[in-house]
Amino acid sequence: MTEPNTPYYIIEERLLRSNLSLIKSVAERSGVEIILAFKAFALWKTFPIFREYINQTTASSVYEARLAFEQFGSPAHTYSPAYEDDTFAEILRCSSHITFNSISQLEHFIPKVGDWNSISDRVGDHQVISCGLRINPEHSHIETDLYNPTAPGTRFGVTADDLSKHEDILDKIDGFHCHCHCESSAEDFADNLIYIKKNFGKWFSRIKWLNLGGGHLMTRKEYNVELLIKTLQDLRAEYPHLHITLEPGSAFAWQTGPLVSSVVDIVENHGIRTAILNVSFTCHMPDCLEMPYWPKVRGAETIEDEKGVVSSKDDIKNQEGHTIGFCYRLGGNSCLSGDFMSSWIFDHELQIGEKIILEDMNHYTTVKTCMFNGIHHPSIAIRRMDDSVEILRQYQYEDYLNRMD
């Protein structure tokens, strides 16, 4: 089958399996469990591939918990900033682990977990649930506050000072959950672990498991995989009774495929040319504006200075004065004024109808997209190992209509 009409996300199965193989190798060599975080990637039609390499997933809402239980086929490791009474029964049904964000949430819901577990002892189709508490080591290498769960005033987790005043709750839980990374390096992880152990290590003898969260970008080309494995091996040697879990999101879908768009118009204002695409940064690539980060565009180079700020709007000329690079801002097809990014140099003048391929757009995209302005939503496709292309999902007017009902 040929590729679909633009716009579409496409997953390269070969690249996905490469990431999964590496992740499985890290888990086996280090003796830890690595599970998929749905907050970064949740395309359930790819789950049969994932099940060849991993056994469980992590959820942060009742819908994600259901996706884990009903589509992935195993109960979720569930964490939420705050659970609600009217949906907690569904969380219980779909979870093997439940982590509480605060002491008050734990004390409110732990009796319900106890009731569930007492039934589980008698009824075979009820899994016993293990409970944990999210901890805040108050240390992270994340520079962007939007993504830093340990920044002052954070709503995430319990500090060591808070826990020391409520040590009795340790008798009600089995583990700690700590998330303080975002596309981080193995060096950052090794350093953060020092603070985790310094602040909370005195209680490790009273727990059974330690979930070290996501943000471990082990499939990035420059990532020091051997340091990660050594750090985890040392941790297990120091605390052999602990079951260690990592739950990366981006690492699974990192560099597994692009978002393919087309140029629908080219406009110019004050010497700035904008190629308007049939996709939207705010709708289909929100992290580009929120993070912000520069997506790679196939066949083009980004113009940035040492601070990451665009420093030119001019074409590139050679010594003879001939244009050898053509500068364009890329604009989304929504009514939001800021729905654009600047700028890229192409080796030719762009033409209406030409494809623009934005690389690495599978993680934190399909899970965060929206239908603002009713813009046509990109299809989702996968290129199989035999190079055939299968469309996993196409969106129609009815999808927008039903969201507005």
Short mmCIF file of all heavy atoms in Angstrom, two decimals, residues 268-315:
data_model
loop_
_atom_site.label_atom_id
_atom_site.label_comp_id
_atom_site.label_asym_id
_atom_site.label_seq_id
_atom_site.Cartn_x
_atom_site.Cartn_y
_atom_site.Cartn_z
N GLU A 268 4.60 36.34 2.25
CA GLU A 268 5.77 37.14 2.64
C GLU A 268 5.31 38.42 3.29
O GLU A 268 4.36 39.07 2.83
CB GLU A 268 6.65 37.42 1.43
CG GLU A 268 7.95 38.14 1.80
CD GLU A 268 8.95 38.17 0.65
OE1 GLU A 268 8.81 37.36 -0.29
OE2 GLU A 268 9.85 39.03 0.71
N ASN A 269 5.99 38.79 4.39
CA ASN A 269 5.68 40.03 5.10
C ASN A 269 6.96 40.56 5.71
O ASN A 269 7.65 39.85 6.45
CB ASN A 269 4.62 39.75 6.19
CG ASN A 269 4.18 41.02 6.90
OD1 ASN A 269 4.88 41.54 7.75
ND2 ASN A 269 3.00 41.50 6.55
N HIS A 270 7.30 41.82 5.39
CA HIS A 270 8.53 42.45 5.90
C HIS A 270 9.75 41.57 5.63
O HIS A 270 10.64 41.44 6.49
CB HIS A 270 8.40 42.75 7.39
CG HIS A 270 7.54 43.95 7.68
ND1 HIS A 270 8.04 45.22 7.89
CD2 HIS A 270 6.19 44.06 7.76
CE1 HIS A 270 7.05 46.07 8.11
NE2 HIS A 270 5.91 45.38 8.03
N GLY A 271 9.79 40.99 4.47
CA GLY A 271 10.94 40.21 4.07
C GLY A 271 10.99 38.81 4.64
O GLY A 271 11.94 38.07 4.38
N ILE A 272 9.99 38.43 5.43
CA ILE A 272 9.95 37.09 6.01
C ILE A 272 8.98 36.24 5.21
O ILE A 272 7.79 36.57 5.09
CB ILE A 272 9.50 37.13 7.49
CG1 ILE A 272 10.51 37.93 8.32
CG2 ILE A 272 9.36 35.72 8.04
CD1 ILE A 272 10.08 38.14 9.76
N ARG A 273 9.49 35.16 4.66
CA ARG A 273 8.65 34.23 3.91
C ARG A 273 8.18 33.12 4.83
O ARG A 273 8.99 32.53 5.57
CB ARG A 273 9.41 33.62 2.73
CG ARG A 273 9.48 34.50 1.52
CD ARG A 273 10.28 33.82 0.44
NE ARG A 273 11.59 33.42 0.94
CZ ARG A 273 12.64 33.22 0.17
NH1 ARG A 273 12.53 33.35 -1.14
NH2 ARG A 273 13.79 32.86 0.67
N THR A 274 6.90 32.82 4.78
CA THR A 274 6.32 31.73 5.56
C THR A 274 5.71 30.70 4.63
O THR A 274 4.85 31.04 3.80
CB THR A 274 5.25 32.25 6.53
OG1 THR A 274 5.83 33.20 7.43
CG2 THR A 274 4.67 31.10 7.34
N ALA A 275 6.14 29.47 4.80
CA ALA A 275 5.50 28.35 4.11
C ALA A 275 4.41 27.83 5.03
O ALA A 275 4.71 27.30 6.11
CB ALA A 275 6.51 27.26 3.79
N ILE A 276 3.17 28.00 4.63
CA ILE A 276 2.04 27.54 5.44
C ILE A 276 1.78 26.08 5.13
O ILE A 276 1.61 25.69 3.97
CB ILE A 276 0.79 28.39 5.19
CG1 ILE A 276 1.08 29.87 5.50
CG2 ILE A 276 -0.37 27.89 6.04
CD1 ILE A 276 -0.09 30.80 5.24
N LEU A 277 1.76 25.27 6.18
CA LEU A 277 1.63 23.82 6.04
C LEU A 277 0.20 23.38 6.34
O LEU A 277 -0.58 24.12 6.95
CB LEU A 277 2.60 23.11 6.98
CG LEU A 277 4.06 23.58 6.95
CD1 LEU A 277 4.87 22.81 7.99
CD2 LEU A 277 4.65 23.45 5.56
N ASN A 278 -0.13 22.16 5.97
CA ASN A 278 -1.45 21.63 6.31
C ASN A 278 -1.43 20.88 7.64
O ASN A 278 -2.21 19.95 7.87
CB ASN A 278 -2.00 20.74 5.19
CG ASN A 278 -1.13 19.53 4.91
OD1 ASN A 278 -0.02 19.41 5.41
ND2 ASN A 278 -1.64 18.62 4.08
N VAL A 279 -0.51 21.28 8.52
CA VAL A 279 -0.49 20.85 9.91
C VAL A 279 -0.35 22.09 10.78
O VAL A 279 -0.15 23.20 10.27
CB VAL A 279 0.67 19.87 10.20
CG1 VAL A 279 0.46 18.55 9.50
CG2 VAL A 279 2.01 20.49 9.83
N SER A 280 -0.43 21.90 12.09
CA SER A 280 -0.37 23.01 13.02
C SER A 280 0.58 22.67 14.15
O SER A 280 0.53 21.57 14.70
CB SER A 280 -1.77 23.29 13.58
OG SER A 280 -1.72 24.03 14.77
N PHE A 281 1.45 23.61 14.50
CA PHE A 281 2.32 23.38 15.65
C PHE A 281 1.50 23.30 16.93
O PHE A 281 1.74 22.43 17.77
CB PHE A 281 3.37 24.50 15.76
CG PHE A 281 4.44 24.42 14.73
CD1 PHE A 281 4.38 25.21 13.58
CD2 PHE A 281 5.49 23.54 14.86
CE1 PHE A 281 5.36 25.13 12.61
CE2 PHE A 281 6.48 23.45 13.89
CZ PHE A 281 6.41 24.25 12.75
N THR A 282 0.55 24.18 17.09
CA THR A 282 -0.23 24.19 18.33
C THR A 282 -1.15 22.98 18.43
O THR A 282 -1.40 22.48 19.52
CB THR A 282 -1.04 25.49 18.45
OG1 THR A 282 -1.60 25.57 19.76
CG2 THR A 282 -2.16 25.57 17.42
N CYS A 283 -1.63 22.46 17.31
CA CYS A 283 -2.53 21.31 17.33
C CYS A 283 -1.80 19.98 17.29
O CYS A 283 -2.18 19.04 17.99
CB CYS A 283 -3.49 21.36 16.14
SG CYS A 283 -4.65 22.73 16.16
N HIS A 284 -0.76 19.88 16.48
CA HIS A 284 -0.17 18.58 16.18
C HIS A 284 1.26 18.40 16.69
O HIS A 284 1.77 17.29 16.70
CB HIS A 284 -0.18 18.35 14.67
CG HIS A 284 -1.53 18.58 14.06
ND1 HIS A 284 -1.72 19.27 12.87
CD2 HIS A 284 -2.77 18.23 14.49
CE1 HIS A 284 -3.02 19.33 12.60
NE2 HIS A 284 -3.66 18.71 13.56
N MET A 285 1.90 19.50 17.09
CA MET A 285 3.27 19.43 17.61
C MET A 285 3.41 20.38 18.80
O MET A 285 4.28 21.26 18.81
CB MET A 285 4.28 19.82 16.52
CG MET A 285 4.26 18.93 15.29
SD MET A 285 5.18 19.64 13.89
CE MET A 285 3.93 20.78 13.23
N PRO A 286 2.54 20.26 19.82
CA PRO A 286 2.48 21.28 20.87
C PRO A 286 3.77 21.48 21.65
O PRO A 286 4.06 22.58 22.09
CB PRO A 286 1.35 20.78 21.78
CG PRO A 286 1.23 19.32 21.49
CD PRO A 286 1.57 19.17 20.05
N ASP A 287 4.57 20.41 21.81
CA ASP A 287 5.82 20.57 22.57
C ASP A 287 6.79 21.52 21.89
O ASP A 287 7.66 22.10 22.55
CB ASP A 287 6.49 19.22 22.79
CG ASP A 287 5.95 18.51 24.02
OD1 ASP A 287 5.08 19.08 24.69
OD2 ASP A 287 6.41 17.40 24.31
N CYS A 288 6.67 21.67 20.57
CA CYS A 288 7.56 22.61 19.87
C CYS A 288 7.36 24.02 20.38
O CYS A 288 8.30 24.82 20.40
CB CYS A 288 7.30 22.56 18.37
SG CYS A 288 7.73 20.98 17.60
N LEU A 289 6.14 24.36 20.77
CA LEU A 289 5.85 25.69 21.29
C LEU A 289 5.98 25.74 22.81
O LEU A 289 6.39 26.75 23.37
CB LEU A 289 4.44 26.13 20.88
CG LEU A 289 4.16 26.20 19.37
CD1 LEU A 289 2.74 26.67 19.13
CD2 LEU A 289 5.15 27.12 18.67
N GLU A 290 5.65 24.64 23.49
CA GLU A 290 5.65 24.64 24.95
C GLU A 290 7.04 24.44 25.53
O GLU A 290 7.37 25.05 26.54
CB GLU A 290 4.74 23.52 25.47
CG GLU A 290 3.26 23.74 25.20
CD GLU A 290 2.42 22.56 25.65
OE1 GLU A 290 2.97 21.62 26.25
OE2 GLU A 290 1.20 22.59 25.42
N MET A 291 7.85 23.57 24.91
CA MET A 291 9.11 23.17 25.54
C MET A 291 10.09 24.34 25.67
O MET A 291 10.54 24.57 26.79
CB MET A 291 9.72 21.99 24.77
CG MET A 291 10.96 21.41 25.42
SD MET A 291 10.58 20.58 26.95
CE MET A 291 12.14 19.78 27.30
N PRO A 292 10.40 25.10 24.63
CA PRO A 292 10.22 24.80 23.21
C PRO A 292 11.45 24.06 22.69
O PRO A 292 12.53 24.14 23.27
CB PRO A 292 10.14 26.17 22.58
CG PRO A 292 11.02 27.02 23.45
CD PRO A 292 10.97 26.44 24.84
N TYR A 293 11.27 23.33 21.62
CA TYR A 293 12.43 22.71 20.98
C TYR A 293 12.26 22.78 19.48
O TYR A 293 11.15 22.92 18.96
CB TYR A 293 12.64 21.28 21.44
CG TYR A 293 11.67 20.27 20.88
CD1 TYR A 293 11.95 19.60 19.70
CD2 TYR A 293 10.48 19.97 21.53
CE1 TYR A 293 11.07 18.67 19.16
CE2 TYR A 293 9.59 19.04 21.00
CZ TYR A 293 9.89 18.40 19.83
OH TYR A 293 9.02 17.49 19.32
N TRP A 294 13.35 22.68 18.75
CA TRP A 294 13.34 22.81 17.30
C TRP A 294 13.22 21.45 16.65
O TRP A 294 14.11 20.62 16.79
CB TRP A 294 14.62 23.49 16.82
CG TRP A 294 14.67 24.93 17.18
CD1 TRP A 294 15.19 25.46 18.33
CD2 TRP A 294 14.14 26.01 16.43
NE1 TRP A 294 15.04 26.82 18.33
CE2 TRP A 294 14.39 27.19 17.17
CE3 TRP A 294 13.49 26.11 15.21
CZ2 TRP A 294 14.01 28.44 16.73
CZ3 TRP A 294 13.11 27.36 14.76
CH2 TRP A 294 13.37 28.51 15.51
N PRO A 295 12.14 21.20 15.94
CA PRO A 295 12.07 19.94 15.21
C PRO A 295 13.03 19.96 14.03
O PRO A 295 13.25 21.00 13.41
CB PRO A 295 10.61 19.89 14.73
CG PRO A 295 10.20 21.33 14.64
CD PRO A 295 10.96 22.05 15.73
N LYS A 296 13.60 18.82 13.74
CA LYS A 296 14.42 18.71 12.54
C LYS A 296 13.51 18.56 11.33
O LYS A 296 12.53 17.83 11.37
CB LYS A 296 15.37 17.52 12.64
CG LYS A 296 16.44 17.68 13.71
CD LYS A 296 17.43 16.52 13.66
CE LYS A 296 18.49 16.68 14.74
NZ LYS A 296 19.30 17.90 14.55
N VAL A 297 13.83 19.29 10.28
CA VAL A 297 13.07 19.21 9.04
C VAL A 297 13.97 18.55 8.00
O VAL A 297 15.10 19.00 7.76
CB VAL A 297 12.64 20.61 8.56
CG1 VAL A 297 11.94 20.52 7.21
CG2 VAL A 297 11.70 21.25 9.60
N ARG A 298 13.48 17.49 7.40
CA ARG A 298 14.29 16.74 6.45
C ARG A 298 14.67 17.62 5.26
O ARG A 298 13.82 18.28 4.67
CB ARG A 298 13.52 15.51 5.97
CG ARG A 298 14.37 14.52 5.19
CD ARG A 298 13.59 13.24 4.90
NE ARG A 298 13.18 12.56 6.12
CZ ARG A 298 12.46 11.42 6.12
NH1 ARG A 298 12.12 10.86 4.97
NH2 ARG A 298 12.12 10.87 7.28
N GLY A 299 15.95 17.66 4.96
CA GLY A 299 16.44 18.44 3.83
C GLY A 299 16.61 19.91 4.11
O GLY A 299 16.78 20.70 3.17
N ALA A 300 16.58 20.31 5.37
CA ALA A 300 16.71 21.73 5.71
C ALA A 300 17.58 21.88 6.95
O ALA A 300 17.79 20.94 7.71
CB ALA A 300 15.35 22.36 5.94
N GLU A 301 18.09 23.09 7.15
CA GLU A 301 18.89 23.41 8.33
C GLU A 301 18.24 24.54 9.09
O GLU A 301 17.73 25.50 8.51
CB GLU A 301 20.31 23.82 7.93
CG GLU A 301 21.11 22.70 7.27
CD GLU A 301 22.53 23.13 6.97
OE1 GLU A 301 22.93 24.24 7.41
OE2 GLU A 301 23.23 22.37 6.29
N THR A 302 18.25 24.44 10.41
CA THR A 302 17.70 25.48 11.26
C THR A 302 18.70 26.62 11.42
O THR A 302 19.91 26.38 11.55
CB THR A 302 17.38 24.94 12.66
OG1 THR A 302 16.56 23.78 12.52
CG2 THR A 302 16.66 25.96 13.51
N ILE A 303 18.22 27.86 11.39
CA ILE A 303 19.07 29.01 11.63
C ILE A 303 18.92 29.40 13.09
O ILE A 303 17.86 29.87 13.51
CB ILE A 303 18.68 30.21 10.76
CG1 ILE A 303 18.63 29.82 9.29
CG2 ILE A 303 19.64 31.37 10.97
CD1 ILE A 303 18.13 30.93 8.40
N GLU A 304 19.96 29.20 13.88
CA GLU A 304 19.93 29.59 15.28
C GLU A 304 21.29 30.17 15.66
O GLU A 304 22.31 29.83 15.07
CB GLU A 304 19.65 28.39 16.19
CG GLU A 304 18.32 27.71 15.95
CD GLU A 304 18.17 26.50 16.85
OE1 GLU A 304 18.04 26.68 18.06
OE2 GLU A 304 18.20 25.38 16.33
N ASP A 305 21.28 31.07 16.65
CA ASP A 305 22.55 31.53 17.18
C ASP A 305 22.91 30.67 18.40
O ASP A 305 22.26 29.67 18.69
CB ASP A 305 22.51 33.03 17.51
CG ASP A 305 21.51 33.36 18.62
OD1 ASP A 305 21.09 32.43 19.35
OD2 ASP A 305 21.15 34.54 18.74
N GLU A 306 23.95 31.07 19.13
CA GLU A 306 24.42 30.25 20.24
C GLU A 306 23.40 30.16 21.37
O GLU A 306 23.48 29.28 22.22
CB GLU A 306 25.75 30.80 20.78
CG GLU A 306 25.66 32.16 21.46
CD GLU A 306 25.68 33.32 20.45
OE1 GLU A 306 25.70 33.03 19.23
OE2 GLU A 306 25.66 34.48 20.89
N LYS A 307 22.41 31.06 21.40
CA LYS A 307 21.37 31.01 22.42
C LYS A 307 20.13 30.27 21.95
O LYS A 307 19.13 30.21 22.64
CB LYS A 307 20.99 32.44 22.84
CG LYS A 307 22.13 33.22 23.47
CD LYS A 307 21.68 34.62 23.86
CE LYS A 307 22.84 35.40 24.48
NZ LYS A 307 22.42 36.80 24.83
N GLY A 308 20.18 29.71 20.75
CA GLY A 308 19.02 29.00 20.23
C GLY A 308 17.97 29.92 19.66
O GLY A 308 16.82 29.52 19.47
N VAL A 309 18.34 31.17 19.37
CA VAL A 309 17.40 32.15 18.83
C VAL A 309 17.69 32.36 17.35
O VAL A 309 18.85 32.45 16.94
CB VAL A 309 17.52 33.49 19.58
CG1 VAL A 309 16.58 34.52 18.98
CG2 VAL A 309 17.23 33.29 21.06
N VAL A 310 16.65 32.44 16.55
CA VAL A 310 16.84 32.67 15.13
C VAL A 310 17.51 34.01 14.92
O VAL A 310 17.10 35.03 15.47
CB VAL A 310 15.49 32.63 14.39
CG1 VAL A 310 15.65 33.08 12.95
CG2 VAL A 310 14.93 31.22 14.42
N SER A 311 18.57 34.03 14.12
CA SER A 311 19.38 35.25 13.98
C SER A 311 19.34 35.84 12.58
O SER A 311 19.99 36.83 12.31
CB SER A 311 20.84 34.94 14.35
OG SER A 311 21.34 33.88 13.55
N SER A 312 18.59 35.20 11.66
CA SER A 312 18.58 35.70 10.30
C SER A 312 17.25 35.40 9.63
O SER A 312 16.59 34.42 9.95
CB SER A 312 19.71 35.07 9.49
OG SER A 312 19.62 35.43 8.13
N LYS A 313 16.85 36.28 8.69
CA LYS A 313 15.68 36.00 7.87
C LYS A 313 16.06 36.04 6.38
O LYS A 313 15.21 35.97 5.51
CB LYS A 313 14.58 37.03 8.14
CG LYS A 313 14.96 38.46 7.74
CD LYS A 313 13.83 39.42 8.04
CE LYS A 313 14.20 40.86 7.64
NZ LYS A 313 13.13 41.81 7.91
N ASP A 314 17.36 36.15 6.14
CA ASP A 314 17.83 36.33 4.77
C ASP A 314 18.25 35.01 4.14
O ASP A 314 18.70 34.08 4.82
CB ASP A 314 19.03 37.29 4.75
CG ASP A 314 18.67 38.67 5.30
OD1 ASP A 314 17.55 39.12 5.01
OD2 ASP A 314 19.49 39.24 6.02
N ASP A 315 18.15 34.96 2.82
CA ASP A 315 18.66 33.81 2.07
C ASP A 315 20.18 33.77 2.18
O ASP A 315 20.83 34.78 2.48
CB ASP A 315 18.24 33.91 0.60
CG ASP A 315 16.74 33.74 0.41
OD1 ASP A 315 16.10 33.18 1.32
OD2 ASP A 315 16.23 34.16 -0.64
#
